[in-house]
Amino acid sequence: MTQIDFYILPDTTREARLDFACRLVETIYRKGYRLHVHVTDEEEAQLIDEKLWTFRPESYVPHAIVTSDLDETPVTIGWREAPEPGIEAMLNLNPGIPEWFSRFERVAEIINQHQEVLRSKRECWQTYKHRGYPVKAHHLN
């Protein structure tokens, strides 16, 4: 069964949420998982793509925006359909839950204190719990 992890940040800014997302992507990649970052749209995909290149000068996370066959890319970024089989984890930056989330071993959600994010991610939390998935909160300082 898919394990759901919510990372709860004290910050309210989009920038802080995206910075943490990049650090989390790097951590998941270094643990050897293939990861799909699910975003809202192409603009957000481009933003994450750029941030992954620049968030830390000493960091390198091989990644690509999903536009074609990406069999060997360890980190994909997309906003439409489900990624290819064989990807073990998903970071969901989209306000909703994609219907195909249960194909992953792990799903990560990031909550900050922005009211829109709080509202949408509370709904996600309730949906996961209602469906019987194990949900764990990680409160960050």
Side-chain angles (χ1 to χ4, degrees):
M1 178 172 269
T2 303
Q3 169 66 46
I4 314 294
D5 292 286
F6 278 82
Y7 295 88
I8 303 166
L9 307 176
D11 305 290
T12 60
T13 66
R14 180 181 190 199
E15 189 72 20
R17 187 170 185 245
L18 293 177
D19 285 345
F20 180 76
C22 289
R23 291 194 313 270
L24 187 58
V25 167
E26 181 182 36
T27 298
I28 293 167
Y29 164 70
R30 290 195 186 283
K31 288 184 176 185
Y33 287 95
R34 289 192 66 208
L35 171 71
H36 180 71
V37 181
H38 184 61
V39 296
T40 306
D41 55 26
E42 186 174 6
E43 180 182 325
E44 189 173 31
Q46 293 288 340
L47 182 61
I48 290 289
D49 176 55
E50 290 171 25
K51 286 200 77 64
L52 283 170
W53 286 112
T54 61
F55 82 102
R56 280 200 345 212
E58 70 278 5
S59 177
Y60 173 67
V61 177
H63 64 280
I65 295 174
V66 177
T67 55
S68 62
D69 186 25
L70 300 168
D71 284 339
E72 301 304 316
T73 306
V75 177
T76 59
I77 305 165
W79 62 95
R80 291 188 194 131
E81 63 276 338
E84 64 191 51
I87 296 177
E88 299 100 349
M90 177 180 70
L91 170 56
N92 186 27
L93 296 176
N94 190 296
I97 302 171
E99 61 186 43
W100 33 264
F101 78 91
S102 63
R103 74 185 324 181
F104 301 101
E105 295 172 25
R106 310 278 309 246
V107 171
E109 300 270 4
I110 301 173
I111 300 175
N112 67 358
Q113 302 308 304
H114 187 277
Q115 289 304 308
E116 247 179 69
V117 174
L118 280 171
R119 182 191 53 72
S120 66
K121 292 304 167 183
R122 280 184 187 135
E123 289 175 17
C124 290
W125 177 287
Q126 291 169 352
T127 299
Y128 290 130
K129 290 295 278 183
H130 179 72
R131 292 183 182 178
Y133 286 89
V135 177
K136 186 174 183 180
H138 306 274
H139 295 272
L140 306 170
N141 297 323

